[in-house]
Amino acid sequence: MYSLFRQGTQKESGEDVLRSNILAVRTLSEMLRSSLGPRGLDKMLISSTNDVTVTNDGVTIVKEMDVQHPAAKLVVEAAKAQDTQVGDGTTSAVVLTGFLLEQAEKLLDQKVHPTIIIEGYKRASDIILNHSKEVAIKINTSDKDYLRKVTYTSLSSKFFSGESTLNKIIDISIDAVVSIAKKQDSSYNIDLSDIKFVKKRGESVDETELIRGFVLDKEVAHENMPRRIEKAKIAIIDFALEVEKPEISAKMSFTSPDQIREALEEQSKYVKSLVDALANAGANVIVSQKGMDDIASYFMAKKRIIGIKNVSRSDLEKLAKSVGAKIITTVKDVSPDDLGYAEVVEERKVGNSKAVFFEGAKQGDAVTILIRGSSDIVMDELERSFQDSLNTVKNVLQYPYVVAGGGAFEMEMSLKLREEARKIGGKEQLAVEAYADALEEFAITLAETAGLDSVDALVQLRNLHSKGLRNAGINVESGKVEEDMAKIGVLDPLIVKEQVIKSSTEAATAILKIDDYIAAAPAKPQQQQGGEGGGMMPGMMG
């Protein structure tokens, strides 16, 4: 009797596999559920090396967790895709996926086939995406008031307690994105990599500031170099200002001290020629990806040139873009056209360390957010918050539609699905209604995290939306159901809501399609062939 699989392979089939996968995803969803909304709670994640992360950012949580279950890993990938596409809404995507599979499990109990549920969910998703703009508000991207409201909603679940701190972070986020945005016809081209983060421990979060220029988290290479240069001409190089060691090891033999002196003089002449070539091109600031030895630093200090060494490649490229410089790979062809320009290059003390500021750059594309805080945990969470708020501003500028928050969009789409479900015949109608139930669960979760009576909130929301109040939602801060969340400034980017629907539907339907589970047996270590000294070579006869 032959076996299809290797010995030790595990195989499960049928509905048990499907229910096991649903349970795994629901467990992951339940874990993130309490982090949803402005009153959502944080998670403390401790790595195997005892590094502590405190956050309620969905993508950070799923990335830091070592998820083993293959079905849960599918949802983690969906959350990462959500973050890649729009940079926000990762918690919502995971939680809604859990709700969809919870409703799907109820349909499985009613003997509805998974294929019918999948088709119903896809149809429900199409209905939502086709009607989403009907409930959206198109905004004027030059109106910063709308940008502030949307950014405030995005940051409302973060840890900042002071209103002044929150307002400062909102202003920094809007100014940073507007500074790097390039308008093309009716749209914007925005590259968030032009925004650099520098974290310096010390002071409070309130001291965080936007630098309209580029900040290198480095010090000037030598103490005798100047600390400030105005009207700086900047050479950015990716070669070392030193005598590089040859790849092949070699020995030099000397028979007299004069030969040693001559060898050192030759080295000095070589390094001086490199510095002179850059100085003759007009450079008074030199930034290198590689090293600068003491000889180079001496000649640069003598010529009143600022030198900065061992800069990472990514920072080098961003700085070159900011100051309008070309990265110089060889000193032979250097020319004044290769240099960048900044009004001021200055080394400043920030906290207990120093950094070099490039302000008034030629291109003015790059900006730097200088993050301050009492600890690394606080600064890391502040950076994650900035990532969310920057993506929010970017999304609204590129896709200028917003919807009312507080569960208003989900409740209105739930009502729309129930209306459309009546026109659909057969069991597929049940799947569309199940999708509507999942959206309502989303609104209920917001009420629960705010400490409200979820049943009472749901009844009120259904009543208001049935009367045509499409912006009715839950005001978490006041603990009431409001008739118009847009009026009180609770707004979400439409593109984030649409991406949540797409990501959740794709993840849920992918899991519902699985009915077989085949886990390969671990590979066995290869055994040594032949015994000690007694083995026969192929072709030999005993």
Side-chain angles (χ1 to χ4, degrees), residues 161-318:
S161 55
E163 193 74 17
S164 61
T165 305
L166 187 56
N167 287 329
K168 187 169 188 178
I169 291 167
I170 291 170
D171 290 337
I172 288 174
S173 300
I174 294 172
D175 288 347
V177 176
V178 170
S179 296
I180 64 167
K182 300 180 183 67
K183 193 159 188 177
Q184 294 180 342
D185 298 327
S186 58
S187 184
Y188 286 90
N189 181 22
I190 299 170
D191 184 1
L192 291 184
S193 65
D194 288 337
I195 300 174
K196 177 174 164 53
F197 293 98
V198 173
K199 292 179 282 189
K200 290 289 187 180
R201 188 187 295 185
E203 301 297 337
S204 67
V205 173
D206 290 337
E207 301 303 316
T208 297
E209 61 179 316
L210 177 68
I211 308 297
R212 296 188 180 280
F214 200 84
V215 179
L216 274 180
D217 194 6
K218 293 284 182 181
E219 296 183 23
V220 171
H222 196 272
E223 59 183 11
N224 291 332
M225 290 178 179
R227 293 299 185 265
R228 176 186 171 92
I229 287 182
E230 296 181 1
K231 301 188 184 304
K233 293 182 179 179
I234 304 153
I236 298 178
I237 62 176
D238 71 349
F239 55 86
L241 291 179
E242 58 189 13
V243 178
E244 296 190 41
K245 295 179 181 178
E247 293 181 6
I248 302 171
S249 59
K251 290 183 179 180
M252 296 176 67
S253 298
F254 299 103
T255 58
S256 70
D258 291 338
Q259 290 179 334
I260 299 175
R261 187 176 65 253
E262 287 174 7
L264 293 174
E265 285 176 357
E266 285 299 318
Q267 290 182 1
S268 296
K269 283 180 184 177
Y270 170 73
V271 174
K272 186 176 184 296
S273 69
L274 298 177
V275 175
D276 286 345
L278 295 169
N280 291 337
N284 51 16
V285 177
I286 300 174
V287 183
S288 175
Q289 183 181 348
K290 297 178 182 176
M292 295 177 184
D293 63 13
D294 291 339
I295 300 171
S297 297
Y298 167 76
F299 288 121
M300 290 166 66
K302 208 171 179 182
K303 291 177 179 290
R304 307 300 292 165
I305 295 174
I306 287 180
I308 306 163
K309 61 183 179 180
N310 298 327
V311 177
S312 68
R313 183 70 189 188
S314 61
D315 280 351
L316 207 71
E317 291 172 353
K318 289 178 184 176

Side-chain angles (χ1 to χ4, degrees), residues 50-239:
N50 287 328
D51 290 331
V52 178
T53 303
V54 178
T55 184
N56 68 354
D57 183 53
V59 72
T60 304
I61 294 170
V62 297
K63 280 180 179 177
E64 293 289 334
M65 286 194 304
D66 189 11
V67 176
Q68 292 297 317
H69 197 283
K73 282 184 177 180
L74 280 175
V75 180
V76 169
E77 291 303 315
K80 289 178 181 177
Q82 173 81 21
D83 185 61
T84 302
Q85 291 293 323
V86 293
D88 200 6
T90 47
T91 305
S92 301
V94 175
V95 171
L96 184 56
T97 303
F99 289 150
L100 289 173
L101 291 176
E102 182 181 346
Q103 296 301 323
E105 193 170 25
K106 294 176 183 177
L107 294 179
L108 292 173
D109 292 337
Q110 299 174 34
K111 305 302 180 186
V112 179
H113 196 274
T115 303
I116 295 173
I117 301 173
I118 291 168
E119 291 304 315
Y121 276 6
K122 287 181 178 178
R123 190 161 183 175
S125 173
D126 291 339
I127 291 170
I128 293 170
L129 296 175
N130 289 335
H131 289 87
S132 59
K133 277 192 179 178
E134 294 176 8
V135 300
I137 304 165
K138 186 171 183 179
I139 67 169
N140 180 3
T141 53
S142 60
D143 185 353
K144 284 195 175 182
D145 186 47
Y146 268 115
L147 293 179
R148 286 185 60 81
K149 289 175 181 177
V150 180
T151 311
Y152 185 93
T153 306
S154 171
L155 290 172
S156 59
S157 62
K158 305 306 178 184
F159 70 92
F160 316 112
S161 55
E163 193 74 17
S164 61
T165 305
L166 187 56
N167 287 329
K168 187 169 188 178
I169 291 167
I170 291 170
D171 290 337
I172 288 174
S173 300
I174 294 172
D175 288 347
V177 176
V178 170
S179 296
I180 64 167
K182 300 180 183 67
K183 193 159 188 177
Q184 294 180 342
D185 298 327
S186 58
S187 184
Y188 286 90
N189 181 22
I190 299 170
D191 184 1
L192 291 184
S193 65
D194 288 337
I195 300 174
K196 177 174 164 53
F197 293 98
V198 173
K199 292 179 282 189
K200 290 289 187 180
R201 188 187 295 185
E203 301 297 337
S204 67
V205 173
D206 290 337
E207 301 303 316
T208 297
E209 61 179 316
L210 177 68
I211 308 297
R212 296 188 180 280
F214 200 84
V215 179
L216 274 180
D217 194 6
K218 293 284 182 181
E219 296 183 23
V220 171
H222 196 272
E223 59 183 11
N224 291 332
M225 290 178 179
R227 293 299 185 265
R228 176 186 171 92
I229 287 182
E230 296 181 1
K231 301 188 184 304
K233 293 182 179 179
I234 304 153
I236 298 178
I237 62 176
D238 71 349
F239 55 86

Side-chain angles (χ1 to χ4, degrees), residues 388-404:
D388 285 350
S389 60
L390 293 171
N391 275 291
T392 299
V393 179
K394 175 190 172 184
N395 291 332
V396 175
L397 288 177
Q398 292 185 329
Y399 192 72
Y401 293 91
V402 295
V403 293

Side-chain angles (χ1 to χ4, degrees), residues 320-441:
K321 185 177 179 182
S322 174
V323 300
K326 296 176 183 175
I327 297 176
I328 302 167
T329 56
T330 174
V331 78
K332 292 177 183 177
D333 304 322
V334 64
S335 72
D337 294 337
D338 297 331
L339 306 182
Y341 177 81
E343 287 291 334
V344 177
V345 175
E346 183 179 17
E347 181 189 79
R348 298 175 194 164
K349 189 171 182 180
V350 184
N352 295 325
S353 58
K354 297 176 183 176
V356 181
F357 289 68
F358 295 76
E359 294 179 330
K362 184 176 182 179
Q363 301 293 338
D365 289 340
V367 295
T368 304
I369 297 176
L370 182 60
I371 295 176
R372 308 302 303 277
S374 58
S375 67
D376 290 339
I377 293 175
V378 171
M379 290 191 294
D380 288 345
E381 181 64 5
L382 183 54
E383 183 180 353
R384 286 189 285 269
S385 301
F386 267 119
Q387 294 284 8
D388 285 350
S389 60
L390 293 171
N391 275 291
T392 299
V393 179
K394 175 190 172 184
N395 291 332
V396 175
L397 288 177
Q398 292 185 329
Y399 192 72
Y401 293 91
V402 295
V403 293
F409 176 79
E410 288 77 16
M411 287 301 300
E412 185 64 22
M413 290 299 103
S414 173
L415 182 67
K416 180 63 68 176
L417 287 180
R418 295 191 196 284
E419 290 174 1
E420 294 293 326
R422 298 190 192 104
K423 305 173 188 176
I424 302 170
K427 291 183 178 180
E428 196 174 310
Q429 176 182 350
L430 298 176
V432 174
E433 289 178 345
Y435 204 116
D437 291 337
L439 290 175
E440 286 188 347
E441 282 288 334

Side-chain angles (χ1 to χ4, degrees), residues 465-491:
H465 279 267
S466 64
K467 292 178 180 178
L469 298 171
R470 58 177 58 174
N471 290 336
I474 298 166
N475 185 344
V476 173
E477 293 185 355
S478 68
K480 297 177 182 177
V481 173
E482 300 280 353
E483 292 185 356
D484 192 346
M485 295 298 288
K487 193 174 181 180
I488 63 173
V490 180
L491 300 167

